[in-house]
Amino acid sequence: MAIYLSRCFFWSRCRAQFIFAVLGVLLMCTAHATVPIPSAQIQPTSAGTGPEDRDVPFLAWYEDLTPQGYLEEEVLISGTANEYDYVDDLNQSPEPVASGASGSYTTRMLIRRPIEPADFNGVVHLEILNATANYDGSPMWDLTHRSMMADGAAWVGVTYSDNAADFMRDSWGADSWPAPSGAQPRNRSRYASLNVPTRKYTWDILNQAAALLKADTNTDNPMNGFGVDVIIATGYSQSAAYVTTFANSFYPSYSAAAPCTAELEATDSCEPIVDGYINAAGGPVARLLNGAGSYPLGDRRNCENALNREAGCLETFVEPLASGPSEHNLPKIVRFTTESDIKAARVRQTMVDQPLLRIYEAAGTSHVTYWMSLQGQVIGEYQFGIPATGNVDSPCTLPFNPLRTSVPLSAIQHRLARWIQFDETPPDSSYMQVEGDWDGPVDSYFNPPVSWVRDDGDNDSTDGDDGVGDGNALGGVRPAAIGAPLGNYYGFGFYPEGPLSLNGIYCNSIYGGFEAYTAEELQERYFNKPTYLASFWWSMFVSWIDGFLLLPDAMLIYDEAKAYDGLPD
């Protein structure tokens, strides 16, 4: 079977080779160095009596996790990291080689895990913390923590960015970042030892953090005795580009605590440190090994693991050797794409399902939603003392999209973990319907002349409302709100054409929008609230059957539907 993966490590633990049928290129894997275990030190935590003596981590969660049987702790890890070059940069091979330059680092891992080992399901979601703001954010946790905790999984966020480390050490709690009463602490000594000299150390920092978590008998391991079975590297938005490079260039890597010996390799028994990857709401390019930028569009390293749509990758197929190992021992990869990202980031795949890859495009979702913006206010108040107003006003033509991107993303993350851990086949890839020319001239906000196909009521097989189109995008993963809509849900908030502006970029690329139905349209569609709730319940059931809705989120969104007051009882 032709496999749309162009990196031989997806098929063999550094011993198989494959022919790129279209490109006619033969690549050979080279053995990856054994990853050392970093030293680690748990940071003390104290609630204190107020901001001045409170001592908790930056990005500490604002809710008490103990009712869910979870705790939060922070660990400083220290080690030596290499810088990397490419073995064959000219031919765009993703294979890395240590450049010879190296140095020491100290960074932090933020951990949220079950209190009791017996409640742990064996899965760690290792998030590459998002440093877009030059300090850490945790969008994957923010969006999916309810389902993670319901599963019994652990979450670990890793600071890889020099800017984020410098911020915590030098700026957080300084006069320029005041922390008034009720905000998180200003203990300036907590991060005095943080030292991430360069983003070139990213890959060894991530690998060493993962190796520590899997070293079950190592007393420095903050999850010592828990028995970590599966590690999934995740990243949202900017961090997704790091996920792509991490998967392309550093799978498989092996821990010094469990090296891949010749004997183990001969029986296909080597255990890589990282077992799977989620690229969530990412763009069309991967991160350079030096961390300073991204590859240009069209570079094959953007799509070596089939995560991107750029020309030159779509027609690249790889045939596995007959002697290759079975698929269930290989890494699984998921790309989750919101409606915003398909067009704005020019991310699109049109390919049949492949055994190691799933691509899910979620209709009606957006890169930034109403709920994400509201949650961001709460986090900002907790971290920096910026008062949360509760008012979420969009600078765009339309108000923020209220459809929860977190709901399908949580289910997809859950399915990936089950796929890796128990070999449960997840739902097939799912694509939205689009039309237009991907290669056509872009507008002033860099968007190609491509649009979503929307429900106009004709031949509608998606939600059954023949003759009464709902105006929402067709195809793709169908969140429950799309099956029982209260209006049109958009990946963009829209912004008038004109000179390039920051708000214009946000509104036409990541901020979602919502256009509510009029009272008359709601009456025509549902008649009354009981009918709406019945439609919503059915839509939830279909989404659950399809594999894109979990119980914690079903309870949440049905409560929100019951609270809706725009229809008569």
Side-chain angles (χ1 to χ4, degrees):
M1 180 178 180
I3 305 300
Y4 183 78
L5 295 171
S6 51
R7 185 74 170 90
C8 55
F9 51 64
F10 287 111
W11 292 101
S12 172
R13 305 280 160 77
C14 291
R15 57 194 173 90
Q17 58 190 30
F18 300 94
I19 297 175
F20 281 36
V22 173
L23 299 181
V25 177
L26 184 67
L27 293 184
M28 294 289 292
C29 279
T30 59
H32 291 286
T34 301
V35 175
I37 309 296
S39 62
Q41 179 182 356
I42 294 179
Q43 289 276 72
T45 296
S46 173
T49 59
E52 297 300 332
D53 65 349
R54 188 179 296 138
D55 191 6
V56 298
F58 179 75
L59 206 61
W61 193 235
Y62 58 85
E63 296 174 319
D64 182 11
L65 298 176
T66 53
Q68 285 76 42
Y70 272 66
L71 61 76
E72 177 180 77
E73 61 185 358
E74 184 179 52
V75 177
L76 297 186
I77 61 172
S78 301
T80 300
N82 293 304
E83 298 180 15
Y84 291 91
D85 294 325
Y86 294 105
V87 171
D88 187 0
D89 191 36
L90 181 63
N91 289 308
Q92 300 177 2
S93 167
E95 191 69 36
V97 60
S99 67
S102 64
S104 61
Y105 72 87
T106 296
T107 190
R108 62 88 176 248
M109 299 194 304
L110 190 58
I111 301 168
R112 294 162 191 152
R113 61 164 176 83
I115 297 170
E116 299 297 334
D119 296 327
F120 177 52
N121 74 347
V123 176
V124 170
H125 298 282
L126 186 75
E127 180 168 0
I128 304 173
L129 294 175
N130 188 296
T132 300
N134 286 325
Y135 51 78
D136 286 336
S138 55
M140 288 296 288
W141 165 266
D142 299 348
L143 290 165
T144 67
H145 62 277
R146 280 183 294 270
S147 63
M148 280 191 217
M149 290 190 289
D151 285 345
W155 172 88
V156 176
V158 179
T159 297
Y160 73 90
S161 165
D162 49 345
N163 290 342
D166 290 350
F167 170 83
M168 286 186 287
R169 186 190 63 231
D170 301 331
S171 299
W172 188 44
D175 291 342
S176 58
W177 287 92
S181 177
Q184 282 290 25
R186 296 190 287 184
N187 183 343
R188 299 301 307 284
S189 65
R190 184 177 186 89
Y191 295 120
S193 64
L194 282 190
N195 176 40
V196 181
T198 172
R199 219 164 292 184
K200 297 175 183 179
Y201 292 171
T202 296
W203 320 111
D204 277 0
I205 287 173
L206 296 174
N207 259 336
Q208 290 176 29
L212 174 64
L213 293 168
K214 275 199 172 177
D216 197 49
T217 60
N218 189 310
T219 55
D220 275 357
N221 181 0
M223 297 193 67
N224 170 263
F226 275 70
V228 173
D229 180 38
V230 170
I231 294 180
I232 299 172
T234 71
Y236 192 94
S237 191
Q238 181 194 100
S239 294
Y242 286 88
V243 172
T244 302
T245 299
F246 192 38
N248 281 349
S249 295
F250 294 92
Y251 181 88
S253 293
Y254 302 100
S255 167
C260 183
T261 65
E263 292 77 13
L264 289 172
E265 187 179 30
T267 58
D268 193 34
S269 300
C270 293
E271 294 294 333
I273 300 169
V274 178
D275 304 279
Y277 305 86
I278 297 180
N279 178 310
V285 292
R287 205 69 177 176
L288 295 171
L289 281 182
N290 65 13
S294 300
Y295 303 107
L297 293 175
D299 190 298
R300 287 176 44 245
R301 284 166 292 197
N302 289 324
C303 62
E304 291 295 339
N305 53 5
L307 290 181
N308 295 288
R309 63 156 291 276
E310 293 306 315
C313 300
L314 285 175
E315 303 303 325
T316 302
F317 290 86
V318 180
E319 292 283 356
L321 297 182
S323 60
S326 59
E327 333 175 328
H328 72 273
N329 290 325
L330 300 167
K332 276 77 173 179
I333 301 170
V334 164
R335 173 185 272 280
F336 171 81
T337 304
T338 72
E339 190 173 305
S340 309
D341 306 307
I342 296 168
K343 183 176 178 181
R346 306 189 74 190
V347 175
R348 191 86 218 293
Q349 299 268 353
T350 51
M351 48 176 277
V352 298
D353 268 318
Q354 306 301 334
L356 304 181
L357 171 70
R358 291 294 186 273
I359 298 170
Y360 299 114
E361 299 175 352
T365 60
S366 52
H367 195 98
V368 175
T369 70
Y370 167 85
W371 297 107
M372 294 166 72
S373 301
L374 189 63
Q375 186 181 55
Q377 287 190 13
V378 177
I379 293 171
E381 182 174 62
Y382 197 57
Q383 297 297 335
F384 304 124
I386 302 170
T389 65
N391 297 320
V392 182
D393 297 322
S394 172
C396 312
T397 303
L398 297 178
F400 275 114
N401 185 352
L403 194 153
R404 289 182 179 270
T405 296
S406 60
V407 172
L409 178 57
S410 294
I412 287 163
Q413 181 172 255
H414 169 84
R415 299 296 174 192
L416 176 61
R418 302 284 298 184
W419 191 18
I420 294 168
Q421 198 169 25
F422 303 113
D423 206 25
E424 292 181 2
T425 303
D428 292 344
S429 295
S430 187
Y431 305 97
M432 291 174 57
Q433 296 182 28
V434 297
E435 58 187 0
D437 181 9
W438 287 104
D439 298 316
V442 299
D443 62 22
S444 58
Y445 297 107
F446 313 109
N447 293 314
V450 173
S451 60
W452 304 275
V453 179
R454 296 192 169 273
D455 177 19
D456 60 6
D458 295 332
N459 300 318
D460 178 19
S461 61
T462 303
D463 57 19
D465 296 323
D466 293 335
V468 187
D470 61 32
N472 286 297
L474 297 176
V477 173
R478 313 295 295 171
I482 288 288
L486 296 173
N488 295 334
Y489 305 91
Y490 296 99
F492 293 168
F494 301 98
Y495 198 79
E497 283 285 335
L500 188 65
S501 67
L502 192 59
N503 280 341
I505 293 173
Y506 289 156
C507 293
N508 288 301
S509 60
I510 63 173
Y511 287 175
F514 177 64
E515 191 172 21
Y517 294 147
T518 65
E520 292 75 16
E521 289 171 328
L522 286 169
Q523 284 282 111
E524 180 183 12
R525 179 169 291 276
Y526 300 115
F527 182 65
N528 59 23
K529 187 170 180 178
T531 305
Y532 163 66
L533 289 177
S535 298
F536 194 88
W537 187 94
W538 177 254
S539 184
M540 287 199 309
F541 177 73
V542 171
S543 187
W544 175 72
I545 289 294
D546 289 343
F548 299 115
L549 179 64
L550 300 176
L551 180 60
D553 289 320
M555 296 170 65
L556 173 68
I557 62 175
Y558 193 63
D559 283 345
E560 291 172 352
K562 288 191 295 184
Y564 180 68
D565 60 2
L567 283 163
D569 293 332

